Amino acid sequence: MSLSEMSPFKRLLSGVAVAAIAVTLAACSDEKKDAASTTPATETTETVAKTEVKPADGSMMAATKTEVKPVDGTMTSSTMSSAIKPATADANQTQMAQAAAPAKAELPEVQGEVDVAKLMESGPLPEMSIGKADAPVTIVEYMSMTCPHCAAFHNNTFDAIKTKYVDSGKVRFILREFPFDPRAAAAFMLARCAPEGQYFPMVSMLFKQQETWAAAPNGRDALLQMSKLAGFTQESFEACLTNQKLLDDVQATMQKGEKDFGVKATPTFFINGKQYSGDMSVDTMSALIDTML
């Protein structure tokens, strides 16, 4: 039976979504970033020679420090050590400063580029976006609600990018549905059914609680509890998940992303038309955005 022939509401009851989670985990991008390493600054130690004089009777005299000063004015080892100490200290300070300096984020490889005008054409569903329509940078993210890499991005990076770039008018951020399994499709439908202006908060809540509902034995009950937190009733919850047209439109959004723009994994980002796949840190995405401002 095809996805269009079976509503996600029934699929959740059937338990098909639980088996599909393994497919989602395999399909999500698992790109990893190498952590920047630093070299600790070394310390310079200085040894001072001392001469100890012991009398013949075995008693100990006070240790005396010897210093030899040649009459020709040349430096002894003691005076030379003193002379180069400032340079050594400066070198140590430089090493420490370099070690403390944050490493520059390495830019990920561009995986392709699409025509921005085509990317921004109207799709099956109204565009869900935040930020100024005329912002100099537009980011389109294709995501799946059951993808752990998507959850990591939205839980760790998204809010910082919103504050730094979206709220300042530099970035317009668009979310598009790319569900890999019925439970992800159901979650997207519920976000679409949320009250006006609540799509992004609903997505954020579902990502923060992903482990609670995405692999729960009873997906219907888990999603119902999440939805009630967003103001859904039992009736509005069931009405949303039995909306066949909404389901078809969510699926059509995914199919368009795959066919027209080559989306294969989630999350996939198009930043001013340039394609990148995989979770990104705040520093990495900030570096990409900065190159386009």
Side-chain angles (χ1 to χ4, degrees):
M1 182 178 291
S2 68
L3 187 61
S4 61
E5 296 172 43
M6 182 184 237
S7 73
F9 184 74
K10 292 181 179 178
R11 280 172 168 265
L12 290 174
L13 291 176
S14 70
V16 173
V18 176
I21 296 299
V23 177
T24 303
L25 298 180
C28 289
S29 171
D30 61 356
E31 180 181 352
K32 297 181 180 179
K33 311 296 180 188
D34 293 332
S37 61
T38 57
T39 303
T42 57
E43 294 182 358
T44 301
T45 58
E46 186 177 340
T47 303
V48 178
K50 293 184 178 180
T51 301
E52 216 170 46
V53 181
K54 294 182 180 180
D57 61 3
S59 62
M60 181 74 72
M61 293 177 62
T64 59
K65 180 179 178 181
T66 61
E67 186 175 13
V68 180
K69 294 185 179 180
V71 294
D72 60 0
T74 59
M75 288 186 175
T76 65
S77 59
S78 175
T79 56
M80 287 176 66
S81 174
S82 176
I84 65 172
K85 186 176 180 181
T88 304
D90 289 343
N92 287 342
Q93 290 175 358
T94 300
Q95 283 183 317
M96 293 174 66
Q98 290 174 344
K104 291 184 178 180
E106 184 177 349
L107 298 182
E109 182 181 353
V110 179
Q111 297 181 327
E113 190 166 1
V114 301
D115 181 79
V116 175
K118 185 175 182 180
L119 182 66
M120 302 311 299
E121 288 177 353
S122 298
L125 288 166
E127 204 79 281
M128 289 299 179
S129 68
I130 53 174
K132 295 173 58 177
D134 60 349
V137 176
T138 297
I139 300 175
V140 177
E141 179 194 0
Y142 282 89
M143 62 179 186
S144 179
M145 291 302 304
T146 51
C147 172
H149 302 290
C150 301
F153 173 78
H154 280 268
N155 293 338
N156 303 323
T157 301
F158 180 79
D159 287 343
I161 294 299
K162 178 181 179 297
T163 300
K164 187 176 181 180
Y165 295 102
V166 177
D167 295 346
S168 63
K170 297 175 182 178
V171 166
R172 181 189 183 199
F173 207 110
I174 299 170
L175 297 185
R176 289 183 183 168
E177 294 88 348
F178 203 88
F180 280 114
D181 58 85
R183 202 168 289 191
F188 277 130
M189 293 171 72
L190 291 167
R192 287 279 179 177
C193 291
E196 185 176 354
Q198 294 303 304
Y199 179 87
F200 277 83
M202 182 78 172
V203 166
S204 177
M205 179 191 71
L206 289 172
F207 272 137
K208 284 181 171 60
Q209 299 295 326
Q210 189 186 71
E211 293 183 2
T212 302
W213 61 269
N218 191 322
R220 175 190 177 280
D221 287 350
L223 275 175
L224 175 59
Q225 293 306 312
M226 293 294 100
S227 299
K228 284 183 176 179
L229 295 175
F232 282 77
T233 64
Q234 179 86 31
E235 293 73 20
S236 61
F237 172 80
E238 294 185 9
C240 179
L241 292 188
T242 52
N243 185 336
Q244 187 62 48
K245 184 181 185 308
L246 178 56
L247 174 59
D248 292 343
D249 288 343
V250 167
Q251 291 295 324
T253 300
M254 176 181 179
Q255 292 161 6
K256 182 177 176 63
E258 181 176 10
K259 179 182 177 182
D260 294 351
F261 309 120
V263 179
K264 301 295 182 185
T266 57
T268 289
F269 302 94
F270 291 94
I271 305 180
N272 279 3
K274 291 182 170 61
Q275 182 178 349
Y276 305 90
S277 293
D279 182 18
M280 289 193 200
S281 67
V282 175
D283 288 344
T284 298
M285 181 161 276
S286 295
L288 282 174
I289 295 171
D290 289 343
T291 63
M292 301 178 187
L293 291 175

